[in-house]
Amino acid sequence: MQNFFLLVLVSLIYFSCDRVPQTPPDTPTVGAVLIGGGIMSATVGTFLREFDPDLSIELYERLDQVAMESSAAWNNAGTGHAGFAELNYTPERADGSIDIKKAISINESFLVSKQFWAYEVSQKHLTARDFIYPVPHISFVKGSENVDFLKKRFEALKQIPLFAGMEYSEDPQTIKKWAPLLLEGRDTKEKIAATRVSRGTDVNFGMLTRELINSLEKSPNTRVYLKHEIVNLKANQDKTWTVVVKNLFNNEERAFRARFVFIGAGGGALPLLQKSNIAEGKGYGGFPVGGQWLITNNPDIVKLHHAKVYGKASIGAPPMSVPHLDTRVIDGKTSLLFGPFATFSTKFLKNGQWTDMFSSLSFNNIIPMLEAGWHNLDLTKYLIKQLRLSPEERIAILREYFPNAQIKDWHLANAGQRVQIIKDDQEKGGILQFGTELVGSQDGSIIALLGASPGASTAAQIAIDIIARCFKDRFERSWRNKLKKIVPSYGIELHKDALRFKEIEDHSNKYLGL
């Protein structure tokens, strides 16, 4: 124990010693710097190009390709998160009623993404069939208590236009028609229920990211740098930032100025936010959680399942660990995945360093991180249990959804690495927060996106929030009007307007081939 605390102290001292090269006064200033080659930088950059084609934009990615971390197809579930099937978005209140606010919010945010993608298709910047496919979304539960919950959830959601067409059934034969694998070999006496929305989607966020960035690169004022790593950030008195980048081809560093910096580097966002030293970033920490999938390409199994089936998470499991049996369409090939199974590593990125978690420790976040650890012992127990699973035990979990599953048909693959947010709460102390959060300077010159799911599905709404906040004057003066052409529903509460929702949905689906 003494050695552990000594290691923490040495880490705090070592990793807090950064030097930033000075930039000459005549150094050219870039309009916007995007850090990370994933779906968020691609989306923010595309919106900025649409709003101001003359704005100089530079995107930096430390790997030799874009979309290789969280945005890569097999590093995420590929679900177009819309609240149709994800039970963790509709918690049960103490009085037994169902809270549907988050499901509505995520659904409307996904509709913003669909409108944005449809617009880019209409402008021939995207090819819809490359990245999005119609796949029904199903919620599936077992046992009387869970069946009661699902029925109440259905009754609450079916009244909302966004969830029009949702079906509910406790009839095994109906559920078998929706997803045959769920019933193959199942005890007919077991009480089950399911809901189904046929309008669900499977999204290849890797392909989508690559197409957006390829389109950006064709713009005369945009440059994309691969194998370039941002190693430091320093605020200047004129509200610009000195950005230090290392060329990983030759290990040379250079410094330049930027008027706006977006840190969209997934798990790598927290360390860069800390290097910026902005007051708003003080006290934030991160807890890395990885994942694995069971995958089958057996055509006899794959052809029997066309759905994304979500169940209930285990006690103590993080929301990103909700079990699901999914159809995936990647590069034109259909497979099934099941999971995720949690893993643990001190890396903040799949292609990160073992020192990532230690280097993120600071005098500002060490107490909140220790408090969060104490308050989340269930999560620790869950992770330990997951790490000890044998291949046979993983198949046993899969059989709760596919009773006839055989170990020979499935292989294990690593998914992406996520960093859950730890923050200092004035009332509760250090808390572990799931989801995503924007943390930026008061003057809007720098902003970081922290956290995990459902970031990719809601990328367009997050990008709009970033731009409205960081380019406030220009957004209010002229960009808002342009946004209405890209996202016609902007400013409209679609969950209260059935006719407008139908019009928006039909328009988006037309361009997206849904």
Side-chain angles (χ1 to χ4, degrees):
M1 183 62 72
Q2 290 177 335
N3 290 337
F4 172 76
F5 283 109
L6 179 61
L7 178 60
V8 169
L9 180 60
V10 171
S11 299
L12 292 175
I13 295 171
Y14 177 80
F15 289 108
S16 63
C17 299
D18 289 318
R19 292 194 300 273
V20 180
Q22 296 298 312
T23 54
D26 59 347
T27 301
T29 301
V30 178
V33 168
L34 311 174
I35 304 176
I39 185 62
M40 279 311 313
S41 288
T43 304
V44 171
T46 301
F47 269 113
L48 288 174
R49 180 194 59 186
E50 296 289 355
F51 292 148
D52 183 3
D54 295 326
L55 180 71
S56 58
I57 300 172
E58 293 187 356
L59 185 152
Y60 291 88
E61 167 56 48
R62 60 191 288 271
L63 301 179
D64 59 2
Q65 298 179 55
V66 299
M68 293 300 290
E69 282 285 350
S70 296
S71 299
W74 285 113
N75 286 352
N76 60 73
T79 301
H81 286 295
F84 292 148
E86 305 92 327
L87 301 180
N88 55 305
Y89 295 159
T90 51
E92 188 171 6
R93 299 187 182 98
D95 64 1
S97 62
I98 305 299
D99 184 350
I100 62 174
K101 292 194 297 294
K102 188 171 184 179
I104 289 173
S105 173
I106 289 173
N107 190 298
E108 291 198 331
S109 293
F110 183 60
L111 285 171
V112 171
S113 289
K114 285 178 66 178
Q115 291 170 78
F116 166 64
W117 300 336
Y119 179 83
E120 293 302 311
V121 170
S122 75
Q123 301 301 301
K124 303 190 185 314
H125 298 151
L126 289 176
T127 304
R129 271 301 178 195
D130 285 352
F131 72 88
I132 189 166
Y133 292 84
V135 176
H137 287 191
I138 293 175
S139 299
F140 176 72
V141 297
K142 304 175 296 178
S144 297
E145 185 176 338
N146 290 332
V147 169
D148 290 343
F149 162 77
L150 188 63
K151 189 169 186 177
K152 287 190 293 185
R153 180 184 190 270
F154 167 71
E155 294 295 335
L157 290 176
K158 74 175 186 178
Q159 312 296 330
I160 310 299
L162 304 176
F163 299 89
M166 178 179 280
E167 303 169 84
Y168 174 87
S169 182
E170 298 176 24
D171 175 40
Q173 293 306 312
T174 299
I175 297 172
K176 186 174 182 178
K177 290 179 182 178
W178 294 348
L181 297 187
L182 296 178
L183 274 293
E184 282 200 357
R186 187 172 299 280
D187 183 353
T188 57
K189 296 179 181 178
E190 186 175 33
K191 189 166 186 179
I192 60 174
T195 59
R196 177 179 182 267
V197 178
S198 61
R199 297 180 289 111
T201 54
D202 176 70
V203 184
N204 184 334
F205 289 106
M207 176 65 74
L208 172 60
T209 299
R210 288 190 291 273
E211 287 202 12
L212 287 173
I213 292 178
N214 286 341
S215 178
L216 271 175
E217 277 197 283
K218 296 175 183 176
S219 304
N221 295 310
T222 301
R223 298 194 68 180
V224 175
Y225 295 87
L226 302 178
K227 286 191 71 68
H228 280 68
E229 182 177 15
I230 304 300
V231 295
N232 223 328
L233 298 160
K234 183 176 183 291
N236 301 316
Q237 292 184 347
D238 61 355
K239 296 184 179 180
T240 64
W241 285 86
T242 293
V243 182
V244 183
V245 59
K246 177 187 283 189
N247 183 334
L248 299 180
F249 289 104
N250 56 25
N251 287 326
E252 292 182 357
E253 293 186 4
R254 65 179 174 88
F256 62 95
R257 291 176 181 265
R259 293 190 181 89
F260 168 69
V261 178
F262 170 60
I263 307 175
L270 175 62
L272 287 171
L273 174 65
Q274 292 173 327
K275 287 179 182 296
S276 75
N277 205 34
I278 61 173
E280 293 81 358
K282 303 295 184 185
Y284 278 89
F287 182 77
V289 178
Q292 294 178 315
W293 307 117
L294 283 173
I295 300 172
T296 183
N297 297 309
N298 184 328
D300 293 331
I301 298 173
V302 172
K303 71 181 181 182
L304 293 176
H305 189 83
H306 183 67
K308 290 180 177 289
V309 178
Y310 276 68
K312 293 198 76 172
S314 303
I315 296 174
M320 62 181 283
S321 294
V322 172
H324 43 97
L325 178 62
D326 289 4
T327 294
R328 294 301 311 272
V329 183
I330 298 176
D331 300 329
K333 182 178 180 180
T334 305
S335 304
L336 298 186
L337 70 76
F338 177 78
F341 298 96
T343 63
F344 176 76
S345 164
T346 54
K347 293 181 180 182
F348 275 4
L349 292 163
K350 192 172 183 178
N351 295 283
Q353 303 294 324
W354 296 106
T355 55
D356 286 345
M357 189 172 76
F358 298 108
S359 66
S360 75
L361 298 175
S362 72
F363 292 106
N364 294 309
N365 68 15
I366 188 65
I367 298 301
M369 288 186 71
L370 290 173
E371 290 176 334
W374 177 255
H375 294 150
N376 289 274
L377 293 178
D378 283 348
L379 176 58
T380 303
K381 295 176 183 177
Y382 169 79
L383 287 174
I384 293 172
K385 185 177 179 180
Q386 287 275 292
L387 292 170
R388 296 175 63 183
L389 289 174
S390 67
E392 291 76 16
E393 288 171 324
R394 291 192 184 93
I395 291 295
I397 296 172
L398 168 59
R399 285 175 181 155
E400 295 181 19
Y401 293 82
F402 175 20
N404 281 349
Q406 301 298 315
I407 195 169
K408 63 181 177 62
D409 295 316
W410 300 78
H411 67 273
L412 191 65
N414 289 325
Q417 188 80 352
R418 306 288 188 270
V419 176
Q420 306 296 339
I421 302 166
I422 292 176
K423 60 190 293 188
D424 191 9
D425 185 271
Q426 291 184 350
E427 296 181 1
K428 301 177 182 179
I431 59 172
L432 183 64
Q433 178 174 302
F434 298 106
T436 54
E437 183 167 342
L438 291 171
V439 182
S441 62
Q442 189 172 7
D443 65 7
S445 62
I446 189 169
I447 195 164
L449 178 67
L450 303 180
S453 182
S457 295
T458 60
Q461 182 61 63
I462 294 172
I464 292 168
D465 293 342
I466 289 168
I467 293 170
R469 175 172 163 180
C470 297
F471 295 82
K472 185 176 181 180
D473 291 342
R474 299 187 70 184
F475 183 81
E476 293 297 335
R477 190 166 59 247
S478 59
W479 291 2
R480 180 191 292 270
N481 292 333
K482 173 67 174 177
L483 177 60
K484 290 287 287 184
K485 296 179 181 178
I486 302 171
V487 182
S489 73
Y490 182 74
I492 301 173
E493 293 183 307
L494 291 178
H495 70 279
K496 297 180 180 179
D497 191 335
L499 291 177
R500 188 65 172 139
F501 160 68
K502 183 69 164 54
E503 179 184 326
I504 294 292
E505 178 85 340
D506 289 346
H507 176 80
S508 298
N509 288 348
K510 170 188 169 185
Y511 282 100
L512 296 178
L514 299 175

